[in-house]
Amino acid sequence: MSKAPLRVAVTGAAGQIGYSLLFRIAAGDMLGKDQPVILQLLDLPQAQQAVKGVMMELDDCAFPLLAGAVATDDPNVAFKDADVCLLVGARPRSKGMERADLLTANGAIFTVQGKAIAENAKEDVKVLVVGNPCNTNAYIARAAAIKVGRTNPANYHGMLRLDHNRALSQLAAKTGKPVAALKQLVVWGNHSPSMYADYRFTTADGASVKALINDPVWNNDVFLPTVGKRGAAIIEARGLSSAASAANAAIDHVHDWVLGSDDWVTMGVPSDGSYGIPEGVVFGFPCCCRNGGYEIIKGLEIDDYSRGKIDLTLKELEEERAAVASML
Ligand SMILES: NC(=O)C1=CN([C@@H]2O[C@H](COP(=O)(O)OP(=O)(O)OC[C@H]3O[C@@H](n4cnc5c(N)ncnc54)[C@H](O)[C@@H]3O)[C@@H](O)[C@H]2O)C=CC1
Ligand SMILES: O=C([O-])CC(=O)C(=O)O
């Protein structure tokens, strides 16, 4: 017997990431090849015609798993009974624009959407914020949702998976090992150049990647800036932000959260106080997923270098948090 469809709400459905994301969700890449889905697409009134066009193309793919699709400009309709919400819609950073400028522009959007999710979605809804600045937008949506109650505050995430995947790829190139051989990577902190991609625990076919590379100068001067500034490098090259790789990372994040992971995955999750990160701050942590839930991996040793990096990215998040405090 086929499974009952799950409802997936996607905001910013007419945007670039939306265009890379929706077809893969409908093809079963996110929730499984046996899991029917209903897409609930939210975008601004002026983008509704474009969303209709995307829906026409979804029709034309004749996806066997696509059990329905609706388009709306009303968050209460988009999030109704949603099992998963992907909050992609936001004002994207354009060439030369600072992330800080995005904070106020996006704060209002995520207050409204957090409230609408808490009032309308399933009680165990899983929410992933992609729209930047995604950690703080997730923090805002979670704060608005907590005021309503009903949903699980632990289920409001920000997306660090693109940073994780970028770091994996750089490490594979450096070590000459296939991506699939690399295990136990973590990217701590904010989805911004301040993030700290940490391969001290990473193994390649069981061997220590840190020992294989054995090059702290490369780590500090090449690896971390390359991963941290990759988004800006893509914008510089394409004139547009990274859409296909961001969509891929969103699919990876939700896929592993729902279906489980056999390796560590980096997720931007509300801190439970682990590693000295204040409770509630949405922070990139090493996680493992099972039975539809996730856990922060505890007890990893934090050396002085790492503590410095983690504190730096936390400081940035604390500043973002202070900047939006009056909106909450
Ligand atoms: N976390 C991550 O790793 C990454 C995040 N991003 C972020 O994702 C976001 C989306 O990027 P793109 O798809 O390239 O942008 P885009 O500009 O192509 O699309 C954004 C869409 O969101 C819609 N939108 C704006 N406000 C909305 C609202 N209040 N409700 C619903 N829809 C709304 C717009 O009408 C547009 O269709 C940006 O904030 C970008 O910075 C991009 C890449 C990676
Ligand atoms: O800065 C942006 O808008 C794009 C982004 O987050 C990334 O590619 O990491």
Side-chain angles (χ1 to χ4, degrees):
M1 208 178 76
S2 68
K3 293 179 168 177
L6 292 176
R7 293 179 179 272
V8 180
V10 180
T11 76
Q16 301 194 77
I17 294 177
Y19 198 66
S20 290
L21 183 61
L22 297 172
F23 299 86
R24 292 193 55 196
I25 297 172
D29 289 354
M30 186 170 84
L31 296 173
K33 296 288 182 188
D34 61 346
Q35 177 59 64
V37 291
I38 296 171
L39 290 172
Q40 305 188 161
L41 308 179
L42 181 73
D43 210 305
L44 298 173
Q46 59 270 29
Q48 289 302 305
Q49 200 186 338
V51 179
K52 294 272 159 27
V54 175
M55 286 171 69
M56 287 161 70
E57 285 202 76
L58 282 164
D59 277 347
D60 295 349
C61 294
F63 288 117
L65 291 173
L66 186 58
V70 291
T72 178
D73 59 10
D74 181 349
N76 294 311
V77 174
F79 299 133
K80 187 79 196 152
D81 297 326
D83 297 282
V84 176
C85 298
L86 296 171
L87 307 188
V88 179
R91 171 124 183 256
R93 185 175 62 176
S94 47
K95 242 180 186 173
M97 188 179 183
E98 289 306 320
R99 289 175 58 87
D101 301 337
L102 290 176
L103 273 168
T104 30
N106 285 308
I109 297 177
F110 289 89
T111 311
V112 169
Q113 293 187 357
K115 179 171 183 283
I117 290 169
E119 286 175 346
N120 293 284
K122 295 266 174 60
E123 288 185 12
D124 62 350
V125 63
K126 291 176 164 59
V127 180
L128 175 65
V129 179
V130 175
N132 278 322
C134 65
N135 296 57
T136 295
N137 288 340
Y139 175 80
I140 293 168
R142 177 176 181 268
I146 285 173
K147 282 191 191 161
V148 176
R150 273 187 84 252
T151 59
N152 182 354
N155 282 359
Y156 288 77
H157 293 185
M159 190 169 88
L160 267 290
R161 187 60 176 263
L162 181 53
D163 311 81
H164 181 102
N165 289 347
R166 285 168 172 164
L168 270 181
S169 185
Q170 295 298 321
L171 291 172
K174 178 72 176 173
T175 57
K177 301 284 183 185
V179 164
L182 302 177
K183 305 286 177 207
Q184 301 192 170
L185 174 68
V186 52
V187 182
W188 304 92
N190 198 6
H191 171 67
S192 89
S194 77
M195 60 87 235
Y196 171 43
D198 179 3
Y199 57 82
R200 290 175 304 132
F201 311 102
T202 309
T203 58
D205 298 323
S208 161
V209 162
K210 184 174 179 232
L212 272 176
I213 294 175
N214 191 24
D215 189 347
V217 174
W218 177 82
N219 174 53
N220 202 64
D221 296 354
V222 180
F223 174 68
L224 290 177
T226 301
V227 177
K229 295 180 186 161
R230 189 69 164 183
I234 306 261
I235 291 173
E236 192 60 38
R238 249 170 53 86
L240 290 167
S241 64
S242 24
S245 52
N248 179 68
I251 285 180
D252 284 351
H253 182 120
V254 176
H255 175 276
D256 291 349
W257 190 0
V258 172
L259 296 171
S261 62
D262 56 7
D263 183 17
W264 299 8
V265 286
T266 300
M267 297 172 120
V269 301
S271 177
D272 59 0
S274 297
Y275 300 103
I277 308 306
E279 235 175 291
V281 172
V282 176
F283 201 83
F285 281 110
C287 293
C288 67
C289 303
R290 63 175 78 93
N291 303 325
Y294 71 93
E295 280 169 28
I296 296 173
I297 293 164
K298 305 283 170 67
L300 299 175
E301 191 213 323
I302 307 296
D303 58 20
D304 287 348
Y305 176 84
S306 302
R307 189 75 253 169
K309 293 284 181 194
I310 288 172
D311 286 350
L312 208 66
T313 191
L314 173 62
K315 180 169 175 282
E316 184 181 58
L317 276 170
E318 292 282 40
E319 284 164 7
E320 292 184 13
R321 193 153 79 135
V324 300
S326 64
M327 304 180 87
L328 304 182

